[in-house]
Amino acid sequence: QVQLVESGGGLVQAGGSLRLSCVASGSSSSFNVRGWYRQAPGKQREMVALRFASSSTMYADSVKGRFTISRDEAKNTVYLQMNSLKPEDTAVYYCNANRGPVTYWGQGTQVTVSS
């Protein structure tokens, strides 16, 4: 059983930074994709950033140039560095991992950006 656990969320002022972490446990092989999604109140969950096994990345237009996804294979951890945060970034952020036909989700971590 794969488990994903997010951490690093919190309350920050606009213009500030946060780094989210997601540790995967219960797995002995690499994932095809690891990523971050977010869901704001009253809105659908949306993709924020993805990192593929090829090391290529994909970002939502709204976060390009501000967010960076990275991974540490030795620690089985993926990170989301968030800079220049805006109030509209406020959401619950979810870690995601995919291996073939199976997708895993973390429980989420709250990010709140005050104006």
Side-chain angles (χ1 to χ4, degrees):
Q1 284 263 353
V2 171
Q3 296 182 68
L4 305 178
V5 180
E6 304 98 332
S7 62
L11 173 64
V12 297
Q13 300 239 355
S17 298
L18 283 174
R19 189 184 74 161
L20 306 183
S21 300
C22 177
V23 179
S25 63
S27 176
S28 60
S29 60
S30 299
F31 297 98
N32 302 114
V33 186
R34 298 195 70 174
W36 290 94
Y37 291 70
R38 67 186 181 188
Q39 186 167 19
K43 296 185 177 181
Q44 297 291 314
R45 185 165 59 234
E46 64 176 343
M47 184 274 291
V48 176
L50 300 175
R51 178 173 283 273
F52 300 89
S54 64
S55 296
S56 63
T57 57
M58 177 181 295
Y59 296 93
D61 288 342
S62 60
V63 307
K64 286 181 179 178
R66 299 189 298 120
F67 291 10
T68 303
I69 186 171
S70 61
R71 63 184 177 188
D72 185 332
E73 294 299 327
K75 297 180 179 180
N76 214 3
T77 300
V78 66
Y79 304 93
L80 184 67
Q81 179 66 46
M82 305 185 294
N83 298 325
S84 301
L85 283 163
K86 305 174 180 179
E88 49 263 47
D89 295 319
T90 295
V92 177
Y93 284 71
Y94 296 92
C95 179
N96 166 276
N98 172 265
R99 180 187 293 140
V102 182
T103 299
Y104 305 93
W105 293 93
Q107 293 300 305
T109 185
Q110 177 71 46
V111 172
T112 302
V113 184
S114 62
S115 59

